[in-house]
């Protein structure tokens, strides 16, 4: 931990991965609740000796040894933390004050504190012990077993729409003229795609959930995966409800086509020359977002996936098992397959490309379609995509990421006066304190400027 890194942490408000605790003379019980919640979510930093706003006040130096010893003892006490944790708490001299800090990594199992289960939500530790839905979501998130591998030993070919195999072969042939599936029987394709498998721990063998989702008859899918549904909503005139809506709960092969047709029905097509070929960019974007909500959703959750078409935006939502929290950028995105069997099947029939290419294609084609707009991708329990459909929406995105004339003027004042006060800005522009803070937040986001609450100085 460097002084600069600590300064960066303390200048940020408490959030899903940062928590401040005063704890000047001892470690309070709620510290262990935060350890539990961080373990159960994304992990994070706990800093002892700081007020809720990040102002460092230090701890009692005479209590340092006892605090560190008690912290370790409690984490190794099964009555306090279960499973027990091995974490070390570190000390740091910061601007003449002694701080203690610890980084809590996420764990692969559900952590309990005093028999209670805590989850992190924004800047709070939430006791979800009595919340069965949230508990189930947590266990699903912690699970190392992909839901799609669940075997249904009593599902037979009569429960599947095997007539779709002709379509599968044609799509595979279009993808690769000499595709190996062309010479396989229906059963051999299912085995090759991993849709028929044997669980060597239980001895069960048969069609798995991926097979049911890809080929199952509607009633079979409802029985094996009752939470599966995708809501397609068109909302332009009736903003309170919708102008058109369908519920898609059929097999994934046909669901893909239904959702593609729905987007084509309610959005305008735009053709552009790409590599000297007249190409529908709308269809390219639709392909990526439909493939995402089919391939990368968490089918263990009953949260319905959504495709929402508005006047200026195309948005999607689907429950997922997140690996990070926040916006996904094309140059920092590290992809991983959430449903490898379904992903590989769609890749074989040409409905998705290499893992991670979808994010790159959204960043590549959205500016072409919307005349300069950029997609917004946000990963959390609910994965969200927003695509601007026209120049107005593109300008809205641009405005959100561009300083206004007043904000530029304030930033110019900051560069000339690192100790610029809120009162000086209020007087200069005749604006309220709340408006100054909103401008400051946007300036920090766009320019990377940092305000040190302790010294009262800006750095950038």
């Amino acid at each position: 931990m460097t002084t600069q890194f600590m300064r960066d942490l303390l200048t940020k408000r408490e959030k899903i991965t940062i928590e401040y605790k005063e704890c000047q003379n001892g470690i309070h019980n709620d510290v262990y609740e935060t350890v539990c919640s961080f373990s159960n979510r994304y992990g994070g930093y706990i800093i002892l000796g700081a007020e809720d706003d990040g102002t460092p006040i230090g701890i009692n130096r005479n209590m340092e040894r006892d605090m560190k010893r008690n912290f370790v003892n409690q984490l190794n006490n099964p009555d306090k933390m279960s499973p027990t944790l091995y974490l070390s708490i570190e000390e740091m001299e910061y601007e003449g004050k002694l701080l203690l800090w610890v980084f809590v990594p996420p764990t692969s199992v559900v952590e309990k504190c005093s028999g209670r289960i805590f989850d992190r939500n924004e800047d709070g530790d939430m006791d979800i012990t009595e919340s069965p839905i949230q508990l189930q979501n947590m266990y699903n998130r912690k699970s190392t077993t992909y839901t799609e591998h669940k075997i249904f030993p009593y599902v037979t070919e009569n429960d599947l729409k095997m007539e779709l195999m002709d379509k599968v072969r044609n799509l595979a042939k279009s993808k690769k003229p000499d595709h190996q599936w062309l010479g396989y029987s229906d059963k051999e394709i299912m085995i090759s795609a991993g849709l028929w498998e044997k669980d060597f721990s239980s001895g069960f063998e048969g069609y798995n959930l991926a097979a049911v989702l890809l080929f199952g008859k509607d009633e079979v899918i409802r029985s094996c995966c009752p939470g599966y549904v995708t809501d397609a909503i068109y909302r332009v005139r009736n903003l309170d409800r919708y102008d058109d809506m369908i519920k898609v709960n059929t097999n994934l092969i046909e669901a893909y086509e239904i959702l593609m047709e729905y987007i084509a029905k309610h959005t305008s097509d735009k053709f552009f020359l790409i590599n000297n070929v007249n190409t529908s960019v709308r269809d390219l974007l639709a392909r990526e977002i439909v493939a995402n909500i089919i391939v990368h959703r968490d089918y263990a959750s009953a949260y319905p996936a959504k495709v929402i078409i508005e006047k200026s935006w195309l948005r999607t939502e689907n429950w997922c098992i997140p690996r990070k929290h926040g916006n996904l950028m094309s140059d920092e995105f590290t992809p991983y397959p959430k449903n490898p069997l379904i992903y590989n099947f769609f890749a074989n029939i040409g409905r998705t490309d290499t893992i991670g290419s979808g994010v790159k294609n959204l960043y590549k084609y959205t500016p072409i379609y919307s005349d300069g707009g950029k997609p917004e991708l946000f990963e959390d329990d609910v994965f969200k995509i927003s695509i601007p459909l026209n120049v107005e929406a593109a300008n809205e995105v641009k405005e959100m990421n561009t300083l206004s004339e007043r904000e530029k003027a304030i930033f110019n004042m900051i560069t000339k006066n690192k100790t610029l006060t809120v009162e000086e800005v209020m007087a200069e522009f005749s604006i309220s304190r709340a408006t100054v803070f909103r401008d400051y937040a946007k300036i920090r986001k766009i320019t990377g400027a940092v305000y040190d609450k302790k010294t009262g100085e800006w750095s950038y």
Side-chain angles (χ1 to χ4, degrees):
M1 172 76 74
T2 65
T3 301
Q4 182 58 48
F5 189 71
M6 177 62 76
R7 180 175 293 110
D8 291 342
L9 290 177
L10 293 173
T11 53
K12 298 174 182 177
R13 63 177 180 84
E14 288 183 336
K15 58 180 183 178
I16 201 165
T17 56
I18 300 176
E19 179 74 16
Y20 308 127
K21 301 289 186 182
E22 294 185 4
C23 296
Q24 289 186 286
N25 296 298
I27 297 180
H28 304 157
N29 284 330
D30 60 358
V31 171
Y32 303 105
E33 296 174 0
T34 301
V35 171
C36 179
S37 69
F38 277 0
S39 298
N40 286 332
R41 184 55 68 161
Y42 305 115
Y45 288 91
I46 302 174
I47 301 174
L48 308 183
E51 295 180 341
D52 288 343
D53 62 358
T55 301
I57 57 176
I59 66 165
N60 186 335
R61 295 178 184 273
N62 294 328
M63 300 298 296
E64 176 192 353
R65 175 179 291 184
D66 287 342
M67 291 173 67
K68 294 175 71 173
R69 183 177 63 250
N70 291 340
F71 183 79
V72 172
N73 289 341
Q74 287 289 67
L75 293 190
N76 285 276
N77 178 4
D79 292 330
K80 187 66 175 179
M81 304 298 297
S82 177
T84 57
L85 296 171
Y86 181 78
L87 298 175
S88 59
I89 193 165
E90 306 289 342
E91 74 277 0
M92 181 176 187
E93 287 287 342
Y94 181 81
E95 297 182 352
K97 296 180 175 60
L98 178 63
L99 303 179
L100 295 180
W101 66 273
V102 60
F103 175 75
V104 181
T107 59
S108 60
V109 296
V110 174
E111 191 71 32
K112 296 180 181 179
C113 176
S114 300
R116 311 295 293 180
I117 300 175
F118 293 85
D119 195 6
R120 189 71 175 176
N121 184 7
E122 294 300 333
D123 61 348
D125 305 317
M126 314 299 294
D127 186 343
I128 64 169
T129 311
E130 311 300 334
S131 303
I133 294 178
Q134 290 177 287
L135 282 176
Q136 184 60 55
N137 289 334
M138 177 178 289
Y139 278 100
N140 289 339
R141 191 170 66 244
K142 294 285 187 178
S143 174
T144 57
T145 303
Y146 290 103
T147 307
E148 63 176 356
H149 282 283
K150 181 179 179 181
I151 293 175
F152 294 88
Y154 298 110
V155 170
T156 69
E157 287 191 4
N158 292 330
D159 300 308
L160 307 177
K161 299 179 71 172
M162 299 305 292
E163 62 269 22
L164 290 173
M165 276 298 181
D166 289 338
K167 180 191 293 288
V168 167
R169 289 187 178 90
N170 288 332
L171 290 170
K173 184 177 181 179
S174 298
K175 171 75 172 178
K176 186 180 179 183
D178 60 346
H179 199 289
Q180 60 181 357
W181 286 358
L182 300 180
Y184 283 5
S185 67
D186 293 352
K187 186 63 174 290
E188 287 173 333
I189 290 177
M190 300 296 273
I191 295 173
S192 172
L195 306 182
W196 171 282
E197 60 180 322
K198 180 177 181 178
D199 185 340
F200 290 94
S201 62
S202 66
F204 289 139
E205 62 179 332
Y207 291 110
N208 54 29
L209 180 60
V212 172
L213 288 168
L214 286 164
F215 288 93
K217 297 178 180 179
D218 291 359
E219 64 273 14
V220 178
I221 294 175
R222 282 196 299 270
S223 175
C224 298
C225 190
Y228 162 62
V229 66
T230 301
D231 294 334
I233 303 168
Y234 177 66
R235 181 187 296 137
V236 172
R237 290 179 294 273
N238 189 344
L239 301 182
D240 294 329
R241 297 192 66 201
Y242 51 82
D243 303 308
D244 183 26
M245 177 181 178
I246 59 172
K247 287 185 175 292
V248 181
N249 50 18
T250 192
N251 64 82
L252 298 183
I253 296 173
E254 294 177 311
Y256 176 92
E257 297 168 351
I258 293 171
L259 293 171
M260 288 289 291
E261 291 172 0
Y262 191 85
I263 293 174
K265 174 183 176 183
H266 291 298
T267 57
S268 60
D269 206 354
K270 297 181 180 180
F271 288 87
F272 295 86
L273 282 177
I274 299 178
N275 297 326
N276 292 322
V277 177
N278 202 20
T279 305
S280 170
V281 178
R282 189 272 312 278
D283 288 350
L284 290 175
L285 293 173
R287 175 179 182 268
E288 299 300 348
I289 64 173
V290 171
N292 178 77
I293 61 175
I294 286 177
V295 170
H296 296 304
R297 70 190 287 181
D298 176 17
Y299 287 98
S301 171
Y303 185 92
K306 298 181 181 67
V307 176
I308 305 170
I309 302 173
E310 300 172 343
K311 180 179 180 180
S312 301
W313 292 90
L314 171 59
R315 308 182 192 275
T316 67
E317 297 180 4
N318 63 272
W319 196 269
C320 77
I321 302 175
R323 294 298 187 271
K324 64 167 289 184
H325 171 79
N327 291 306
L328 296 185
M329 305 302 293
S330 61
D331 58 350
E332 64 180 20
F333 175 58
T334 303
Y336 69 96
K338 299 182 177 70
N339 294 294
L341 295 179
I342 296 174
Y343 159 72
N344 286 327
F345 190 91
F346 265 57
N348 272 286
I349 62 176
R351 288 184 170 175
T352 189
D353 295 318
T354 57
I355 189 73
S357 62
V359 171
K360 292 180 174 63
N361 286 338
L362 289 178
Y363 273 93
K364 178 179 179 181
Y365 296 120
T366 299
I368 298 175
Y369 186 86
S370 62
D371 194 18
K374 292 183 179 181
E376 296 179 352
L377 297 89
F378 190 88
E379 183 168 18
D380 202 350
D381 285 341
V382 178
F383 188 93
K384 298 180 180 180
I385 299 176
S386 296
I387 304 293
L389 296 179
N390 50 40
V391 68
E392 289 79 12
N395 289 337
E396 181 182 332
V397 175
K398 185 177 180 181
E399 182 178 345
M400 292 171 58
N401 293 281
T402 306
L403 296 180
S404 67
E405 291 303 317
R406 184 181 69 216
E407 291 159 350
K408 289 179 182 177
I410 294 174
F411 181 61
N412 189 47
M413 293 172 66
I414 290 172
T415 61
K416 295 179 180 179
N417 180 10
K418 293 183 179 180
T419 59
L420 182 70
T421 66
V422 173
E423 289 72 19
E424 289 175 310
V425 178
M426 292 170 59
E428 177 69 21
F429 298 98
S430 299
I431 55 178
S432 68
R433 181 178 295 271
T435 301
V436 175
F437 285 133
R438 282 197 299 272
D439 288 351
Y440 275 1
K442 190 173 178 183
I443 289 170
R444 286 196 298 268
K445 174 185 175 183
I446 295 175
T447 69
V450 176
Y451 180 72
D452 190 321
K453 297 174 183 178
K454 176 61 179 177
T455 64
E457 292 186 358
W458 286 90
S459 59
Y460 58 92

